[in-house]
């Protein structure tokens, strides 16, 4: 995806200098910085969540991975629940 953004001259100059030190293009440096920022924010959010919120998120992720075409009958569900008790 291509997006154009406006960057002030001071920041652009700093990016160019950093790209020389890192031996990468300005574009690559910006992509790396954005990936780092997003990962940091995700980690920050995860660390601030309660245990219950983490469990809910885990359940949501598992539900998204589930095969929605695979179904079970009501009797199979009740049978499994009876085994738990």
């Amino acid at each position: 995806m291509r997006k154009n953004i406006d960057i002030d001259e001071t920041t652009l100059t700093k990016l160019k200098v950093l790209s020389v030190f890192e031996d990468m293009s300005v574009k690559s440096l910006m992509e790396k910085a954005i990936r780092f920022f997003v990962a940091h924010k995700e980690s920050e959010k995860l660390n601030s969540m309660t245990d219950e919120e983490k469990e809910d998120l885990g359940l949501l992720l598992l539900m998204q991975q589930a095969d929605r075409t695979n179904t079970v009958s009501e009797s199979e569900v009740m049978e499994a629940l009876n085994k738990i008790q």
Side-chain angles (χ1 to χ4, degrees), residues 3 10-12 16 18-19 22 24 27-28 33-34 40-41 46 50-51 55 58-59 61 74 78 80-81:
K3 296 288 181 184
T10 305
T11 304
L12 184 58
K16 288 177 180 179
L18 285 172
S19 71
E22 295 292 320
M24 57 178 39
K27 179 183 181 263
S28 297
I34 291 167
H40 175 72
K41 284 297 181 182
L46 192 60
T50 64
D51 287 341
E55 289 173 2
L59 181 58
L61 294 173
E74 181 180 348
M78 293 304 181
L81 289 174

Side-chain angles (χ1 to χ4, degrees), residues 1-7 12 15 26-28 30-31 34:
M1 178 186 320
R2 184 171 184 87
K3 296 288 181 184
N4 293 331
I5 58 171
D6 291 325
I7 301 174
L12 184 58
L15 279 169
V26 172
K27 179 183 181 263
S28 297
M30 289 177 66
E31 290 170 345
I34 291 167

Side-chain angles (χ1 to χ4, degrees), residues 12-85:
L12 184 58
T13 302
K14 290 177 182 180
L15 279 169
K16 288 177 180 179
V17 170
L18 285 172
S19 71
V20 170
F21 289 140
E22 295 292 320
D23 193 29
M24 57 178 39
S25 70
V26 172
K27 179 183 181 263
S28 297
L29 182 65
M30 289 177 66
E31 290 170 345
K32 182 178 178 182
I34 291 167
R35 280 193 301 272
F36 173 79
F37 179 79
V38 170
H40 175 72
K41 284 297 181 182
E42 287 174 341
S43 175
E44 199 175 76
K45 178 63 179 167
L46 192 60
N47 290 338
S48 70
M49 294 172 80
T50 64
D51 287 341
E52 185 176 342
E53 289 171 327
K54 288 178 185 176
E55 289 173 2
D56 290 344
L57 179 60
L59 181 58
L60 173 66
L61 294 173
L62 285 174
M63 289 172 61
Q64 288 177 341
Q65 294 174 4
D67 181 8
R68 294 181 183 145
T69 61
N70 189 5
T71 59
V72 295
S73 67
E74 181 180 348
S75 61
E76 288 176 293
V77 171
M78 293 304 181
E79 192 176 304
L81 289 174
N82 287 335
K83 288 181 182 178
I84 294 172
Q85 296 172 355

